[in-house]
Amino acid sequence: MTPAIPDLRARLSACRGVLVDSNVFLDVATSDPEWSDWSRRALAESAEYATLVVNPIVYAEVSIGYTRIEALDAALPANLYRRDALPWEAAFLAGKCFLLYRRRGGARRSPLPDFYIGAHAAVEHLALLTRDAARYRSYFPTIEILAPAKRRR
């Protein structure tokens, strides 16, 4: 079987872990017909070579699909996913990147959480496992982005 993420071990050699974006967790939780297989394989492959990380933004985004915190904690167990706080430096970087985004004409309504996620990965030298790589690549060129080779939609 073709790996979900080519050359993963080498790509993670300089990273201190893998921050997992909420879309990957939601693909698995909802059995998304288009993405669940890739997301499931990418999570498993990443876990072979690095510590998987969740931050409060990702946790909050994933929580929308759960009615009880216990169910969410069972889906994202602390023994499989390290829970990291957001560094203050990441908040500053997120704000600066969001400002650049707005100056380039970006819509105000949705992306600030993505900027926090990207900034967290950048500041803490984490790879980012996501299937929405375009914005992260544009505003956080230093992070190792682990994403599907091509968008399907």
Side-chain angles (χ1 to χ4, degrees):
M1 177 180 282
T2 304
I5 304 164
D7 304 317
L8 183 60
R9 176 182 261 172
R11 293 174 66 187
L12 292 177
S13 64
C15 300
R16 295 176 33 193
V18 175
L19 180 58
V20 182
D21 199 357
S22 57
N23 56 47
V24 174
F25 288 128
L26 293 171
D27 290 344
V28 173
T30 63
S31 297
D32 183 278
E34 188 171 357
W35 290 107
S36 63
D37 179 60
W38 181 87
S39 292
R40 196 173 278 109
R41 288 186 305 122
L43 274 170
E45 291 170 15
S46 297
E48 286 184 43
Y49 302 111
T51 300
L52 300 179
V53 179
V54 175
N55 69 24
I57 301 291
V58 171
Y59 189 89
E61 289 178 335
V62 174
S63 77
I64 293 168
Y66 295 85
T67 56
R68 302 187 44 170
I69 194 169
E70 294 82 4
L72 176 58
D73 287 342
L76 302 176
N79 64 326
L80 295 179
Y81 302 101
R82 187 178 78 210
R83 295 179 181 192
D84 284 2
L86 288 169
W88 288 101
E89 295 86 357
F92 183 83
L93 180 58
K96 295 304 173 200
C97 290
F98 183 69
L99 179 61
L100 179 59
Y101 167 81
R102 290 290 296 138
R103 287 182 176 157
R104 291 179 177 172
R108 184 183 309 250
R109 61 187 182 285
S110 67
L112 190 54
D114 289 345
F115 286 100
Y116 273 110
I117 292 166
H120 183 189
V123 167
E124 294 293 324
H125 306 288
L126 301 169
L128 178 61
L129 178 60
T130 184
R131 62 173 166 75
D132 293 330
R135 184 176 298 138
Y136 295 116
R137 283 193 177 109
S138 296
Y139 293 93
F140 302 98
T142 63
I143 64 176
E144 181 66 52
I145 297 174
L146 310 174
K150 294 182 180 179
R151 291 278 307 160
R152 295 183 190 164
R153 295 180 191 179

